[in-house]
Amino acid sequence: MSALEQAFLGGPAIEVVAKATRRRFTVEYKRKIVREADSCKTPGAVGALLRREGLYSSHLTTWRAARERGELAGVPKKRGPARRVVDPRDKKLAEQAREISRWQKRAERAEALVALQKQVAALLGAPLTTEPS
C-alpha cells in the first residue's frame, strides 16, 4: 500500500517515532512492580508480569537492589552535581587575597615611578633628596 493510499484511508504514513525517548519510571511504579514480583508464587508469573508491563528482567534486578539500599523507600535522589555550601570564611579570604593583590600591584607601580624619577634626576644632574620615612 502506498503512502497516498494510506493518506486517503486516514492512517499514518509513517509509524516510526522521529527520535526515541528513554522511559522514566517513578519511584511509586518501581515499588509497585517489585511488590507484585515478590508476591508471584507460580512459575512463570514474574515473566508474565514483566511482559504485561513491557519491562526487562534487568529492570527488576536493578529495582530490587535499589530497594535493598533504601533508595525506593523515600524521596528520590536529586540528579546533578551536589550543591556546594559556600563558607563565609572562604569568601572573606578570597576578598582579602584580591585586595592584597591590588595593593601589591599599586606598590610595584609606585616603586617603578620612584625608579623613573631617580633616572630622570640622574640624567638632569639634579640629585633627589630623600626624606626618611
Side-chain angles (χ1 to χ4, degrees), residues 7 15 36 44 51 71 79 81 103 108-109 115-116 119:
E15 294 184 15
E36 284 183 32
R51 281 190 301 277
E71 294 175 6
R79 297 182 60 187
W103 282 109
E108 289 171 3
R109 263 189 266 131
L116 180 66
Q119 289 175 355

Side-chain angles (χ1 to χ4, degrees), residues 26-39 49 52-53 55 60 63 67 72:
T26 63
V27 175
E28 294 82 25
Y29 179 76
K30 292 177 186 179
R31 270 188 266 167
K32 181 186 104 171
I33 295 298
V34 170
R35 262 189 266 116
E36 284 183 32
D38 289 343
S39 66
L49 169 69
R52 183 184 77 222
E53 296 293 330
L55 300 172
L60 191 57
W63 296 346
R67 180 186 59 184
L72 295 184

Side-chain angles (χ1 to χ4, degrees), residues 81-86 90:
R83 188 169 178 212
R84 279 187 25 184
V85 177
V86 179
D90 291 339

Side-chain angles (χ1 to χ4, degrees), residues 2-14:
S2 70
L4 186 60
E5 291 172 347
Q6 282 186 351
F8 283 122
L9 295 176
I14 300 175

Side-chain angles (χ1 to χ4, degrees), residues 58-75:
S58 61
H59 285 126
L60 191 57
T61 305
T62 305
W63 296 346
R64 282 179 173 162
R67 180 186 59 184
E68 296 302 318
R69 289 189 307 265
E71 294 175 6
L72 295 184
V75 180

Side-chain angles (χ1 to χ4, degrees), residues 86-107 109:
V86 179
D87 191 5
R89 292 178 292 179
D90 291 339
K91 206 178 214 182
K92 186 163 180 99
L93 284 174
E95 182 182 322
Q96 289 174 347
R98 283 192 302 272
E99 190 174 345
I100 288 171
S101 172
R102 188 170 46 245
W103 282 109
Q104 283 175 342
K105 287 178 186 175
R106 192 169 179 181
R109 263 189 266 131

